[in-house]
């Protein structure tokens, strides 16, 4: 949409939505392949060619609800190896999307030399990173990684934006934020991150909670979670005015 870009081809096709769609599909593929890879490796390590014994036993322990298309289980999940595996894949893919987004925002902030641009960016960045950190932290906790892996993932998330800011400051002298190259690169990375995060939020995070038996059997709770979902989406939409 920028007037700094040529009408052909950038104004003739909705590249933002296209890149986000391709990114979401790519995330689905990565999610599927990663889950399949780790599941097969776990079966080989356990010497179980079918991989059903442990899962069936754990399912018998308590009330477990499984979302058929995505393998989400609720109830007695700590004893279910496949559920723990899903949490780990979700945490890793989610961090990938957040890190890519944080790096681009950091570069934009570091390279910007206008106080009018920097002040709202800092406010938006602080608000946005806070809630992304909460979401990612919850996924990492559910995944039950070893302490070293949890610390590394936390540091990776925490240091990505400062690293982006440092890169932005380093290239600020020769960086033109209105140049076609800068706009295209930033737009593609932002759209790709959006696709990853949209997929993760809808498929791996919200669906798992909204399909939980506790929500499904309680009308007031179901109404409440939907209202707060809409409220959160509205707040993030308002934030986009300054971001």
């Amino acid at each position: 949409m920028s007037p700094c870009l040529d009408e052909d081809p950038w104004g003739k096709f909705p590249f933002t939505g296209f890149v986000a769609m391709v990114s979401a599909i790519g995330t689905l593929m990565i999610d599927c392949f990663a889950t399949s890879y780790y599941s097969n490796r776990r079966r080989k390590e356990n010497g179980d060619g079918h991989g059903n014994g442990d899962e069936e036993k754990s399912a018998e322990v308590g009330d477990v609800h499984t979302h058929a298309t995505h393998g989400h289980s609720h109830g007695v999940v700590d004893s279910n190896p496949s559920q723990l595996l899903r949490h780990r894949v979700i945490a890793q893919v989610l961090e990938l999307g957040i890190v890519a987004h944080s790096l681009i925002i950091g570069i934009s902030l570091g390279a910007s030399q206008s106080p009018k641009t920097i002040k709202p960016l800092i406010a938006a960045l602080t608000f946005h990173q806070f809630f992304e950190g909460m979401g990612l932290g919850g996924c990492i906790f559910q995944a039950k990684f070893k302490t070293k892996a949890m610390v590394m993932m936390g540091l990776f998330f925490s240091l990505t934006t400062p690293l982006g800011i440092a890169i932005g400051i380093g290239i600020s002298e020769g960086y033109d934020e209105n140049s076609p190259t800068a706009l295209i690169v930033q737009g593609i990375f932002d759209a790709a991150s959006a696709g990853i995060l949209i997929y993760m939020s809808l498929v791996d995070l919200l669906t798992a909670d909204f399909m939980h038996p506790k929500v499904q059997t309680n009308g007031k709770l179901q109404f409440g979670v939907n209202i707060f979902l809409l409220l959160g989406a509205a707040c993030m939409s308002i934030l986009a005015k300054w971001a």
Side-chain angles (χ1 to χ4, degrees):
M1 301 292 290
S2 173
C4 299
L5 293 177
D6 293 334
E7 178 69 16
D8 187 15
W10 306 106
K12 294 185 176 181
F13 185 80
F15 283 99
T16 303
F18 176 74
V19 173
M21 179 189 71
V22 172
S23 176
I25 294 173
T27 306
L28 168 64
M29 294 177 177
I30 293 172
D31 198 2
C32 178
F33 287 133
T35 303
S36 175
Y37 170 77
Y38 285 119
S39 296
N40 290 334
R41 192 175 72 173
R42 181 176 61 81
R43 291 192 190 102
K44 290 179 181 178
E45 289 174 352
N46 294 339
D48 183 0
H50 301 287
N52 293 326
D54 293 338
E55 295 170 12
E56 289 176 356
K57 289 178 182 177
S58 65
E60 293 171 357
V61 175
D63 180 19
V64 178
H65 164 75
T66 302
H67 191 278
T69 55
H70 309 298
H72 296 295
S73 299
H74 305 279
V76 185
V77 295
D78 290 344
S79 61
N80 191 338
S82 63
Q83 180 63 13
L84 187 61
L85 176 67
R86 283 294 305 147
H87 284 313
R88 291 183 174 179
V89 172
I90 289 170
Q92 290 170 340
V93 177
L94 181 60
E95 175 141 350
L96 175 66
I98 291 176
V99 161
H101 187 232
S102 300
L103 185 64
I104 293 299
I105 291 179
I107 292 174
S108 299
L109 181 60
S112 178
Q113 298 179 355
S114 170
K116 292 182 179 179
T117 304
I118 293 173
K119 289 180 180 179
L121 259 179
I122 290 176
L125 181 65
T126 303
F127 184 80
H128 201 267
Q129 294 293 99
F130 174 74
F131 286 106
E132 280 188 340
M134 288 181 63
L136 180 61
C139 288
I140 292 174
F141 176 78
Q142 283 185 314
K144 299 187 183 300
F145 287 108
K146 294 181 180 178
T147 303
K148 183 179 179 181
M150 293 175 69
V151 170
M152 287 182 64
M153 292 181 74
L155 284 174
F156 200 51
F157 167 74
S158 302
L159 297 177
T160 304
T161 303
L163 176 63
I165 293 173
I167 294 173
I169 293 173
I171 65 174
S172 60
E173 292 299 325
Y175 179 80
D176 180 7
E177 61 184 13
N178 292 318
S179 72
T181 301
L183 288 168
I184 292 169
V185 171
Q186 182 177 349
I188 288 175
F189 272 93
D190 281 345
S193 299
I196 295 172
L197 296 177
I198 288 171
Y199 171 86
M200 295 302 299
S201 63
L202 294 177
V203 177
D204 284 328
L205 301 179
L206 289 175
T207 301
D209 290 334
F210 276 56
M211 295 300 176
H212 194 286
K214 188 176 181 180
V215 175
Q216 292 291 303
T217 56
N218 189 324
K220 291 182 179 179
L221 185 59
Q222 197 169 34
F223 178 78
V225 295
N226 279 281
I227 290 297
F228 278 102
L229 172 63
L230 294 173
L231 181 62
C235 289
M236 295 305 293
S237 299
I238 294 171
L239 178 65
K241 176 178 173 60
W242 295 279

Coordinates of all heavy atoms in Angstrom, one line a residue, residues 117-186:
T117 N 8.0 8.5 15.7 CA 7.9 7.0 15.3 C 8.3 6.2 16.5 O 7.7 5.1 16.8 CB 8.7 6.7 14.1 OG1 8.3 7.6 13.0 CG2 8.5 5.3 13.7
I118 N 9.4 6.6 17.2 CA 10.0 5.7 18.3 C 9.0 5.6 19.5 O 8.9 4.5 20.0 CB 11.3 6.3 18.7 CG1 12.3 6.2 17.5 CG2 11.9 5.6 19.9 CD1 13.7 6.9 17.8
K119 N 8.4 6.7 19.9 CA 7.6 6.7 21.1 C 6.4 5.7 21.0 O 6.2 4.9 21.9 CB 7.2 8.1 21.5 CG 8.3 9.0 22.0 CD 7.7 10.4 22.3 CE 8.9 11.3 22.8 NZ 8.4 12.7 23.1
P120 N 5.6 5.8 20.0 CA 4.5 4.8 19.9 C 5.0 3.4 19.6 O 4.3 2.4 20.1 CB 3.7 5.3 18.7 CG 4.6 6.2 17.9 CD 5.5 6.8 18.9
L121 N 6.1 3.3 19.0 CA 6.7 1.9 18.7 C 7.1 1.3 20.1 O 6.8 0.1 20.3 CB 7.9 2.0 17.8 CG 7.7 1.6 16.3 CD1 9.0 1.7 15.6 CD2 7.1 0.2 16.2
I122 N 7.7 2.0 21.0 CA 8.1 1.5 22.2 C 6.9 1.1 23.1 O 6.9 0.0 23.7 CB 8.9 2.5 23.0 CG1 10.3 2.7 22.4 CG2 9.1 2.1 24.5 CD1 11.1 3.8 23.0
A123 N 5.8 1.9 23.1 CA 4.6 1.6 23.8 C 3.9 0.3 23.2 O 3.6 -0.6 24.0 CB 3.6 2.7 23.7
A124 N 3.8 0.3 21.9 CA 3.2 -0.9 21.3 C 4.1 -2.2 21.5 O 3.5 -3.3 21.8 CB 3.1 -0.7 19.8
L125 N 5.4 -2.0 21.4 CA 6.3 -3.1 21.6 C 6.2 -3.7 23.0 O 6.2 -4.9 23.2 CB 7.7 -2.7 21.2 CG 8.8 -3.7 21.3 CD1 8.6 -4.8 20.3 CD2 10.2 -3.1 21.2
T126 N 6.2 -2.8 24.0 CA 6.1 -3.3 25.4 C 4.9 -4.0 25.6 O 4.9 -5.1 26.2 CB 6.2 -2.0 26.3 OG1 7.4 -1.3 26.0 CG2 6.2 -2.5 27.8
F127 N 3.7 -3.5 25.2 CA 2.4 -4.2 25.4 C 2.4 -5.5 24.7 O 2.0 -6.5 25.2 CB 1.3 -3.2 24.9 CG -0.1 -3.7 25.1 CD1 -0.7 -3.5 26.3 CD2 -0.8 -4.3 24.1 CE1 -2.0 -4.0 26.6 CE2 -2.1 -4.8 24.3 CZ -2.7 -4.6 25.5
H128 N 2.8 -5.5 23.4 CA 2.8 -6.7 22.6 C 3.7 -7.8 23.1 O 3.3 -8.9 23.2 CB 3.2 -6.3 21.1 CG 2.7 -7.2 20.1 ND1 3.4 -8.3 19.6 CD2 1.5 -7.3 19.5 CE1 2.7 -9.0 18.7 NE2 1.5 -8.4 18.6
Q129 N 4.9 -7.4 23.4 CA 5.9 -8.4 23.9 C 5.5 -9.0 25.2 O 5.7 -10.2 25.5 CB 7.3 -7.8 24.0 CG 7.9 -7.4 22.7 CD 8.2 -8.6 21.8 OE1 7.5 -8.9 20.9 NE2 9.3 -9.2 22.1
F130 N 4.8 -8.2 26.0 CA 4.3 -8.7 27.4 C 3.4 -9.9 27.2 O 3.6 -10.9 27.8 CB 3.7 -7.5 28.1 CG 3.1 -7.9 29.4 CD1 3.9 -8.2 30.5 CD2 1.7 -8.1 29.6 CE1 3.3 -8.6 31.7 CE2 1.1 -8.4 30.8 CZ 1.9 -8.7 31.9
F131 N 2.4 -9.7 26.3 CA 1.4 -10.8 26.2 C 2.0 -11.9 25.4 O 1.6 -13.1 25.6 CB 0.1 -10.2 25.6 CG -0.7 -9.4 26.5 CD1 -0.7 -8.0 26.4 CD2 -1.4 -10.0 27.6 CE1 -1.4 -7.2 27.3 CE2 -2.1 -9.2 28.5 CZ -2.1 -7.8 28.4
E132 N 2.8 -11.6 24.4 CA 3.5 -12.7 23.7 C 4.3 -13.6 24.6 O 4.4 -14.8 24.6 CB 4.3 -12.2 22.5 CG 3.6 -11.8 21.3 CD 4.5 -11.5 20.1 OE1 5.7 -11.1 20.4 OE2 4.0 -11.5 19.0
G133 N 5.0 -12.9 25.5 CA 5.8 -13.6 26.5 C 5.0 -14.4 27.5 O 5.4 -15.6 27.8
M134 N 3.8 -13.9 27.9 CA 2.9 -14.7 28.7 C 2.5 -16.0 28.0 O 2.5 -17.1 28.5 CB 1.7 -13.9 29.1 CG 2.0 -12.8 30.1 SD 0.5 -11.9 30.6 CE -0.5 -13.2 31.3
G135 N 2.1 -15.8 26.7 CA 1.6 -17.0 25.9 C 2.7 -18.0 25.7 O 2.5 -19.2 25.9
L136 N 3.9 -17.5 25.3 CA 5.0 -18.4 25.1 C 5.5 -19.1 26.4 O 5.8 -20.3 26.4 CB 6.2 -17.7 24.5 CG 7.4 -18.5 24.1 CD1 7.1 -19.6 23.2 CD2 8.5 -17.6 23.6
G137 N 5.5 -18.3 27.5 CA 5.9 -18.9 28.8 C 5.0 -20.0 29.2 O 5.4 -21.0 29.7
G138 N 3.7 -19.8 29.0 CA 2.7 -20.8 29.3 C 2.9 -22.1 28.5 O 2.8 -23.2 29.1
C139 N 3.2 -21.9 27.2 CA 3.5 -23.1 26.4 C 4.7 -23.8 26.8 O 4.8 -25.1 26.8 CB 3.6 -22.7 24.9 SG 2.0 -22.2 24.2
I140 N 5.8 -23.1 27.1 CA 7.0 -23.7 27.5 C 6.8 -24.5 28.8 O 7.4 -25.6 29.0 CB 8.1 -22.6 27.7 CG1 8.5 -22.0 26.3 CG2 9.4 -23.2 28.4 CD1 9.5 -20.9 26.4
F141 N 6.0 -23.9 29.7 CA 5.8 -24.6 31.0 C 5.0 -25.9 30.8 O 5.3 -26.9 31.4 CB 5.0 -23.6 31.9 CG 4.6 -24.3 33.2 CD1 5.5 -24.4 34.3 CD2 3.3 -24.7 33.4 CE1 5.1 -25.0 35.5 CE2 2.9 -25.3 34.6 CZ 3.8 -25.5 35.6
Q142 N 4.0 -25.8 29.9 CA 3.2 -27.1 29.6 C 4.1 -28.1 29.0 O 3.9 -29.3 29.1 CB 2.1 -26.7 28.7 CG 0.9 -26.0 29.4 CD -0.3 -25.8 28.5 OE1 -0.1 -25.4 27.3 NE2 -1.5 -26.2 28.9
A143 N 5.1 -27.7 28.2 CA 5.9 -28.6 27.5 C 6.9 -29.4 28.4 O 7.4 -30.4 28.0 CB 6.7 -27.9 26.4
K144 N 7.1 -28.9 29.6 CA 7.9 -29.5 30.6 C 9.3 -29.9 30.0 O 9.8 -31.0 30.1 CB 7.3 -30.8 31.1 CG 6.0 -30.6 31.8 CD 5.4 -31.8 32.5 CE 4.0 -31.6 33.1 NZ 4.1 -30.6 34.1
F145 N 10.0 -28.8 29.4 CA 11.3 -29.0 29.0 C 12.3 -29.1 30.2 O 11.9 -28.7 31.3 CB 11.7 -27.8 28.1 CG 11.1 -27.7 26.7 CD1 10.2 -26.8 26.4 CD2 11.5 -28.6 25.7 CE1 9.6 -26.7 25.2 CE2 11.0 -28.5 24.5 CZ 10.0 -27.6 24.2
K146 N 13.5 -29.6 29.9 CA 14.5 -29.5 31.0 C 14.8 -28.1 31.3 O 14.7 -27.2 30.4 CB 15.7 -30.3 30.5 CG 15.5 -31.8 30.3 CD 16.7 -32.5 29.9 CE 16.5 -34.0 29.8 NZ 17.7 -34.7 29.3
T147 N 15.4 -27.8 32.4 CA 15.6 -26.5 32.9 C 16.5 -25.7 31.9 O 16.3 -24.6 31.6 CB 16.3 -26.5 34.3 OG1 15.4 -27.2 35.2 CG2 16.5 -25.1 34.8
K148 N 17.5 -26.4 31.4 CA 18.5 -25.7 30.5 C 17.7 -25.3 29.2 O 18.0 -24.2 28.7 CB 19.6 -26.7 30.1 CG 20.7 -26.1 29.2 CD 21.8 -27.1 28.9 CE 22.8 -26.5 28.0 NZ 23.9 -27.5 27.7
A149 N 16.9 -26.1 28.7 CA 16.1 -25.8 27.5 C 15.2 -24.6 27.7 O 15.0 -23.7 26.9 CB 15.4 -27.0 26.9
M150 N 14.5 -24.6 28.9 CA 13.6 -23.6 29.2 C 14.3 -22.2 29.4 O 13.8 -21.2 28.9 CB 12.9 -23.9 30.6 CG 11.9 -25.1 30.5 SD 11.2 -25.6 32.1 CE 10.1 -24.2 32.3
V151 N 15.5 -22.3 30.0 CA 16.2 -21.0 30.1 C 16.7 -20.5 28.8 O 16.6 -19.3 28.5 CB 17.5 -21.3 31.1 CG1 18.4 -20.1 31.0 CG2 17.0 -21.5 32.5
M152 N 17.1 -21.4 27.9 CA 17.6 -21.0 26.6 C 16.5 -20.4 25.8 O 16.6 -19.4 25.1 CB 18.2 -22.2 25.9 CG 19.6 -22.6 26.4 SD 20.3 -24.0 25.5 CE 20.5 -23.3 23.9
M153 N 15.3 -21.0 25.8 CA 14.1 -20.5 25.1 C 13.7 -19.2 25.6 O 13.3 -18.2 24.8 CB 13.0 -21.5 25.1 CG 13.2 -22.8 24.3 SD 11.9 -24.0 24.4 CE 10.7 -23.2 23.2
G154 N 13.7 -19.0 26.9 CA 13.4 -17.7 27.5 C 14.3 -16.6 27.2 O 14.0 -15.5 26.8
L155 N 15.6 -17.0 27.2 CA 16.7 -16.0 26.8 C 16.6 -15.6 25.3 O 16.7 -14.5 24.9 CB 18.1 -16.5 27.1 CG 18.5 -16.5 28.6 CD1 19.8 -17.2 28.7 CD2 18.6 -15.1 29.1
F156 N 16.3 -16.6 24.5 CA 16.2 -16.4 23.1 C 15.0 -15.4 22.8 O 15.2 -14.5 22.0 CB 15.9 -17.7 22.3 CG 16.2 -17.7 20.9 CD1 17.5 -17.2 20.4 CD2 15.3 -18.2 20.0 CE1 17.8 -17.2 19.1 CE2 15.6 -18.2 18.6 CZ 16.8 -17.7 18.2
F157 N 13.9 -15.6 23.4 CA 12.8 -14.7 23.3 C 13.1 -13.3 23.8 O 12.9 -12.3 23.2 CB 11.6 -15.2 24.0 CG 10.5 -14.2 24.2 CD1 9.7 -13.8 23.1 CD2 10.2 -13.6 25.4 CE1 8.7 -12.9 23.2 CE2 9.2 -12.6 25.6 CZ 8.4 -12.3 24.5
S158 N 13.8 -13.2 25.0 CA 14.1 -11.9 25.6 C 15.1 -11.1 24.9 O 15.1 -9.9 24.9 CB 14.6 -12.2 27.0 OG 13.7 -12.9 27.8
L159 N 16.1 -11.8 24.2 CA 17.2 -11.1 23.6 C 17.0 -10.8 22.1 O 17.8 -10.0 21.5 CB 18.5 -11.9 23.7 CG 18.9 -12.1 25.2 CD1 20.2 -13.0 25.2 CD2 19.3 -10.8 25.9
T160 N 15.9 -11.3 21.5 CA 15.7 -11.1 20.1 C 15.4 -9.7 19.7 O 16.0 -9.1 18.8 CB 14.6 -12.0 19.5 OG1 14.9 -13.4 19.9 CG2 14.5 -11.9 18.0
T161 N 14.5 -9.1 20.5 CA 14.2 -7.7 20.2 C 15.4 -6.7 20.4 O 15.7 -5.9 19.6 CB 13.0 -7.2 21.0 OG1 11.9 -8.1 20.7 CG2 12.6 -5.8 20.7
P162 N 16.1 -6.9 21.6 CA 17.3 -6.0 21.8 C 18.3 -6.3 20.6 O 19.0 -5.3 20.2 CB 17.8 -6.5 23.1 CG 16.7 -7.0 23.9 CD 15.8 -7.6 22.8
L163 N 18.5 -7.5 20.2 CA 19.4 -7.8 19.1 C 18.9 -7.0 17.8 O 19.7 -6.4 17.1 CB 19.4 -9.3 18.8 CG 20.3 -9.7 17.6 CD1 21.7 -9.4 17.8 CD2 20.2 -11.2 17.4
G164 N 17.6 -7.1 17.5 CA 17.1 -6.4 16.4 C 17.3 -4.9 16.5 O 17.7 -4.2 15.5
I165 N 17.1 -4.3 17.7 CA 17.4 -2.9 17.9 C 18.9 -2.6 17.7 O 19.2 -1.5 17.0 CB 17.0 -2.5 19.4 CG1 15.5 -2.6 19.6 CG2 17.5 -1.1 19.7 CD1 15.0 -2.4 21.0
A166 N 19.8 -3.4 18.2 CA 21.2 -3.2 17.9 C 21.5 -3.2 16.4 O 22.3 -2.4 15.9 CB 22.0 -4.3 18.7
I167 N 20.9 -4.2 15.7 CA 21.2 -4.2 14.3 C 20.6 -3.0 13.6 O 21.2 -2.4 12.7 CB 20.5 -5.5 13.7 CG1 21.2 -6.8 14.2 CG2 20.5 -5.5 12.1 CD1 20.4 -8.1 13.8
G168 N 19.4 -2.6 14.0 CA 18.8 -1.3 13.5 C 19.7 -0.1 13.7 O 19.8 0.7 12.8
I169 N 20.2 0.0 14.9 CA 21.1 1.2 15.2 C 22.4 1.1 14.3 O 22.8 2.1 13.8 CB 21.5 1.2 16.7 CG1 20.3 1.5 17.6 CG2 22.6 2.2 17.0 CD1 20.5 1.3 19.1
G170 N 22.9 -0.1 14.1 CA 24.1 -0.3 13.3 C 23.9 0.1 11.9 O 24.9 0.5 11.2
I171 N 22.7 -0.1 11.4 CA 22.5 0.2 9.9 C 21.7 1.5 9.7 O 21.3 1.8 8.6 CB 21.7 -1.0 9.3 CG1 20.3 -1.1 9.9 CG2 22.5 -2.3 9.4 CD1 19.4 -2.1 9.1
S172 N 21.5 2.2 10.8 CA 20.6 3.4 10.7 C 21.2 4.5 9.8 O 20.4 5.2 9.2 CB 20.4 4.0 12.1 OG 21.6 4.3 12.7
E173 N 22.5 4.6 9.7 CA 23.1 5.6 8.9 C 22.7 5.4 7.4 O 22.5 6.4 6.7 CB 24.6 5.7 9.1 CG 25.0 6.1 10.5 CD 24.6 7.5 10.8 OE1 24.6 8.4 9.8 OE2 24.3 7.8 11.9
G174 N 22.8 4.2 7.0 CA 22.5 3.9 5.5 C 21.2 3.3 5.3 O 20.9 2.9 4.2
Y175 N 20.3 3.3 6.3 CA 19.0 2.7 6.2 C 17.9 3.7 5.9 O 17.8 4.7 6.5 CB 18.7 2.0 7.5 CG 17.3 1.3 7.5 CD1 17.2 0.0 7.0 CD2 16.2 1.9 8.1 CE1 15.9 -0.6 7.0 CE2 15.0 1.2 8.2 CZ 14.9 0.0 7.6 OH 13.6 -0.7 7.6
D176 N 17.2 3.4 4.8 CA 16.1 4.2 4.4 C 14.8 3.4 4.6 O 14.5 2.5 3.8 CB 16.3 4.7 3.0 CG 15.1 5.6 2.5 OD1 14.3 5.9 3.4 OD2 15.1 5.9 1.3
E177 N 14.0 3.7 5.6 CA 12.8 2.9 5.9 C 11.8 3.0 4.8 O 10.8 2.3 4.8 CB 12.2 3.3 7.2 CG 11.8 4.8 7.3 CD 11.3 5.1 8.7 OE1 11.6 4.4 9.7 OE2 10.7 6.2 8.9
N178 N 11.9 4.0 3.9 CA 10.9 4.2 2.8 C 11.5 3.6 1.5 O 10.8 3.8 0.5 CB 10.6 5.7 2.7 CG 9.8 6.2 3.8 OD1 8.9 5.5 4.4 ND2 10.1 7.4 4.3
S179 N 12.6 3.0 1.5 CA 13.2 2.4 0.3 C 12.3 1.2 -0.1 O 11.9 0.5 0.8 CB 14.6 2.0 0.4 OG 14.8 0.9 1.3
P180 N 12.2 0.9 -1.4 CA 11.4 -0.3 -1.8 C 11.9 -1.6 -1.2 O 11.1 -2.4 -0.7 CB 11.5 -0.3 -3.3 CG 11.7 1.1 -3.7 CD 12.6 1.7 -2.5
T181 N 13.2 -1.8 -1.1 CA 13.8 -3.0 -0.6 C 13.4 -3.2 0.9 O 13.0 -4.2 1.3 CB 15.3 -3.0 -0.7 OG1 15.7 -2.9 -2.1 CG2 15.9 -4.3 -0.2
A182 N 13.6 -2.1 1.7 CA 13.3 -2.2 3.1 C 11.8 -2.4 3.3 O 11.4 -3.3 4.2 CB 13.7 -0.9 3.8
L183 N 10.9 -1.8 2.6 CA 9.5 -2.0 2.7 C 9.1 -3.4 2.4 O 8.3 -4.0 3.0 CB 8.7 -1.0 1.8 CG 8.8 0.5 2.3 CD1 8.3 1.4 1.2 CD2 8.0 0.7 3.6
I184 N 9.6 -3.9 1.3 CA 9.3 -5.3 0.8 C 9.7 -6.3 1.8 O 9.0 -7.2 2.2 CB 9.9 -5.6 -0.6 CG1 9.2 -4.7 -1.6 CG2 9.7 -7.0 -0.9 CD1 9.9 -4.7 -3.0
V185 N 11.0 -6.2 2.3 CA 11.5 -7.2 3.3 C 10.7 -7.1 4.6 O 10.3 -8.2 5.1 CB 13.0 -6.9 3.5 CG1 13.5 -7.8 4.7 CG2 13.9 -7.2 2.3
Q186 N 10.5 -5.9 5.1 CA 9.8 -5.8 6.3 C 8.3 -6.3 6.2 O 7.8 -7.0 7.0 CB 9.7 -4.4 6.8 CG 9.0 -4.2 8.1 CD 9.0 -2.7 8.6 OE1 9.8 -1.9 8.1 NE2 8.2 -2.4 9.6

